[in-house]
């Protein structure tokens, strides 16, 4: 019965012990987490520079290729279908949902949202019912028929997985989170509670709140304790789309002595938006008297391209070429834009004098936040016609 089910759910909760370096924020730390993440994730060298750094060929010996060492932290390997950065946040968010006696989870995102897919799958694994508000272009004549659904939400990429596992997907026109999506999430939550008697758990866009933040405070702990990030690297670079991952890494770095510099490449909105989010997190942790977002995080603006989740041909060609030369798959929405920003900023770094340099050293760690299923939304297909595929023929070889 119900009692049995809630016992099972309670059993997945583990007590969470706060990292000793985080003693200042122990007062607001979650008490429990659930284990979803395959960690620690590996770090390895990434031979990115030879082909992709724009440099002045007239300069002797091409100092850019020699100067920087880029490594990659594989947070795209936190799981299989639960892959990517969101898994770390969900360990705390879904533990909170279970502790509060919730039986369903409501969240939101773009049509190919990695966060929505990861949340839905993790929820189902923990016996919670997932509801996702996904932004899609509205039907022309307000008639949402089968053709419309197949047009805006075809069974590709993350949507394929939603359809496979039976996520309750609610399509809505593009709108802002606070003024558009959140009121709808609250309305649905109220309806679910009225019907079932159990509250629904609302997770903000990207899982980026002070509970989810602990996912990447723990991510920083792994970098610090296991990967020895402060001894081996000077700069850490990550994509930022909702702010939680970047804020967690920046605050973790701050609390452990700020020996490295944390950079976040914006894939939507602008630097102001992400500084505001980080300042909000500092405030909720009681740290806003001692530091500010701009002192602990460098948000790199200007690489949003055509806008969130929109790609230029040049971006997709870079994604393809990186895949073919290094074997690392980026996703078009987040990591590709972040790497493009990183490459351009490294090239510019060389032309700057010491005080204006963006990067504090030459040992750079890029945190790969996943998004692999976004690659399967078919936008890459037109660029793959030149792949070396042919029909094997023995006869033509003998001639």
């Amino acid at each position: 019965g119900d009692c049995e089910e809630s016992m099972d759910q309670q059993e997945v909760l583990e007590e969470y012990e706060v990292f000793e370096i985080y003693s200042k924020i122990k007062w607001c730390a979650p008490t429990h987490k659930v284990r979803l993440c395959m960690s620690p994730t590996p770090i390895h060298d990434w031979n990115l520079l030879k082909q992709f750094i724009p440099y002045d060929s007239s300069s002797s010996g091409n100092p850019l290729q020699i100067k920087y060492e880029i490594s990659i932290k594989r947070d795209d390997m936190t799981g299989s279908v639960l892959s990517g950065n969101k898994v770390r946040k969900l360990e705390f968010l879904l533990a909170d949902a279970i502790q509060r006696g919730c039986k369903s989870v409501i969240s939101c995102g773009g049509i190919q949202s990695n966060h929505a897919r990861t949340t839905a799958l993790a929820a189902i694994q923990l016996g919670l019912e997932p509801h996702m508000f996904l932004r899609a272009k509205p039907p022309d004549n307000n008639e949402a028929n089968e053709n419309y659904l197949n047009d805006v939400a075809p069974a590709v990429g993350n949507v394929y997985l939603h359809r496979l596992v039976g996520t309750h997907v609610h399509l809505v026109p593009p709108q802002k989170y606070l003024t558009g999506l959140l009121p709808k999430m609250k309305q649905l939550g109220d309806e679910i509670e009225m019907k079932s008697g159990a509250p629904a758990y609302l997770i903000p866009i990207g899982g980026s709140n002070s509970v989810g933040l602990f996912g990447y405070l723990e991510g920083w702990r792994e970098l610090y304790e296991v990967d020895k990030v402060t001894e081996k690297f000077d700069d850490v670079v990550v994509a930022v789309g909702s702010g939680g991952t970047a804020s967690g890494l920046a605050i973790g770095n701050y609390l452990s002595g700020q020996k490295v510099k944390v950079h976040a490449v914006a894939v939507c909105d602008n630097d102001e938006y992400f500084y505001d989010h980080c300042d909000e997190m500092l405030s909720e942790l009681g740290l806003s008297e001692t530091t500010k977002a701009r002192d602990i995080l460098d948000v790199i603006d200007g690489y949003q391209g055509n806008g969130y989740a929109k790609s230029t041909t040049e971006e997709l060609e870079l994604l393809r070429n990186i895949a073919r030369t290094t074997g690392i798959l980026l996703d078009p929405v987040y990591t590709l834009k972040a790497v493009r920003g990183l490459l351009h900023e490294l090239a510019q770094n060389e032309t700057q004098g010491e005080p204006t340099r963006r990067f504090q050293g030459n040992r750079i760690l890029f945190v790969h936040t996943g998004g692999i299923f976004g690659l399967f939304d078919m936008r890459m297909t037109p660029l793959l016609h030149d792949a070396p595929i042919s029909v094997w023929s023995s006869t033509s070889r003998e001639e």
Side-chain angles (χ1 to χ4, degrees):
D2 285 350
C3 178
E4 215 172 83
E5 183 182 275
S6 60
M7 279 300 291
D8 287 348
Q9 283 184 339
Q10 294 295 330
E11 277 170 21
V12 302
L13 294 173
E14 291 180 8
E15 281 191 22
Y16 170 57
E17 282 185 37
V18 183
F19 188 21
E20 60 272 18
I21 285 178
Y22 296 164
S23 56
K24 281 184 187 169
I25 57 172
K26 195 170 182 176
W27 68 275
C28 62
T31 55
H32 290 78
K33 62 185 280 198
V34 291
R35 194 173 290 276
L36 296 168
C37 181
M38 303 291 165
S39 60
T41 55
I43 285 179
H44 58 77
D45 294 342
W46 191 14
N47 180 22
L48 188 63
L49 297 188
K50 285 200 174 89
Q51 293 87 351
F52 300 110
I53 272 264
Y55 68 93
D56 176 6
S57 55
S58 63
S59 63
S60 57
N62 181 10
L64 285 180
Q65 283 183 22
I66 300 155
K67 175 146 188 180
Y68 295 103
E69 298 161 15
I70 297 189
S71 300
I72 183 167
K73 169 79 168 166
R74 300 297 301 273
D75 267 17
D76 56 326
M77 294 170 74
T78 49
S80 170
V81 286
L82 291 188
S83 64
N85 59 329
K86 303 303 178 186
V87 186
R88 292 189 189 267
K89 301 180 186 184
L90 288 166
E91 290 198 320
F92 292 96
L93 290 161
L94 293 180
D96 192 33
I98 290 168
Q99 281 181 289
R100 290 171 186 270
C102 299
K103 293 282 181 273
S104 52
V105 170
I106 304 172
S107 197
C108 59
I111 190 71
Q112 283 292 341
S113 165
N114 299 299
H115 159 72
R117 174 257 311 160
T118 313
T119 302
L121 282 149
I124 291 168
Q125 288 182 15
L126 295 169
L128 302 165
E129 182 180 84
H131 289 261
M132 296 296 142
F133 283 92
L134 301 183
R135 294 181 293 223
K137 67 175 198 298
D140 295 333
N141 50 7
N142 276 346
E143 208 177 299
N145 57 24
E146 189 70 19
N147 288 345
Y148 164 73
L149 293 177
N150 288 331
D151 179 37
V152 299
V156 296
N158 287 302
V159 177
Y160 174 78
L161 295 172
H162 283 306
R163 289 185 173 221
L164 184 63
V165 299
T167 307
H168 296 267
V169 172
H170 309 276
L171 297 177
V172 291
Q175 55 200 268
K176 290 200 179 322
Y177 171 66
L178 285 175
T179 53
L181 292 165
L182 184 57
K184 292 177 181 63
M185 289 164 62
K186 285 178 174 169
Q187 185 188 343
L188 178 63
D190 291 343
E191 286 172 17
I192 288 172
E193 188 165 5
M194 286 270 292
K195 258 187 211 158
S196 69
Y201 189 77
L202 272 56
I203 295 179
I205 201 156
S208 295
N209 62 10
S210 56
V211 177
L213 183 76
F214 275 83
Y216 267 89
L217 284 165
E218 277 300 286
W220 181 264
R221 178 185 191 164
E222 181 177 305
L223 283 164
Y224 186 84
E225 285 191 319
V226 180
D227 303 322
K228 308 289 183 226
V229 66
T230 54
E231 295 164 31
K232 296 179 180 174
F233 299 100
D234 306 301
D235 297 83
V236 172
V237 181
V238 69
V240 61
S242 60
T245 300
S247 297
L249 293 174
I251 295 168
N253 180 41
Y254 165 69
L255 291 171
S256 59
Q258 210 165 337
K259 294 185 179 73
V260 306
K261 189 172 176 184
V262 177
H263 312 263
V265 183
V267 305
C268 56
D269 297 299
N270 58 23
D271 56 354
E272 202 67 42
Y273 176 88
F274 295 113
Y275 285 130
D276 286 349
H277 178 81
C278 187
D279 275 327
E280 199 182 308
M281 293 300 101
L282 285 167
S283 174
E284 289 188 32
L285 297 178
L287 297 172
S288 54
E289 295 300 306
T290 53
T291 191
K292 294 282 177 275
R294 287 172 188 274
D295 301 327
I296 63 171
L297 178 64
D298 170 36
V299 179
I300 300 176
D301 215 346
Y303 297 97
Q304 294 90 334
N306 286 344
Y308 178 71
K310 294 176 180 160
S311 301
T312 64
T313 304
E314 181 209 355
E315 286 170 355
L316 297 180
E317 283 172 350
L318 179 63
L319 190 156
R320 177 195 64 195
N321 296 343
I322 288 172
R324 289 181 178 178
T325 52
T326 73
I328 298 290
L329 303 184
L330 301 173
D331 80 291
V333 180
Y334 295 94
T335 50
L336 183 273
K337 291 188 180 188
V339 168
R340 186 167 168 267
L342 168 63
L343 291 171
H344 276 258
E345 292 295 326
L346 284 177
Q348 286 191 316
N349 208 51
E350 283 308 290
T351 63
Q352 305 292 316
E354 275 308 328
T356 54
R357 281 204 173 151
R358 179 147 238 162
F359 299 94
Q360 69 172 23
N362 64 344
R363 300 172 305 167
I364 314 267
L365 179 65
F366 179 75
V367 180
H368 190 325
T369 45
I372 182 73
F373 296 104
L375 256 187
F376 296 91
D377 68 358
M378 301 302 154
R379 78 175 76 189
M380 289 296 296
T381 310
L383 280 83
L384 305 181
H385 295 312
D386 66 337
I389 299 177
S390 60
V391 177
W392 172 269
S393 163
S394 308
T395 51
S396 62
R397 281 172 160 72
E398 285 163 10
E399 286 164 10

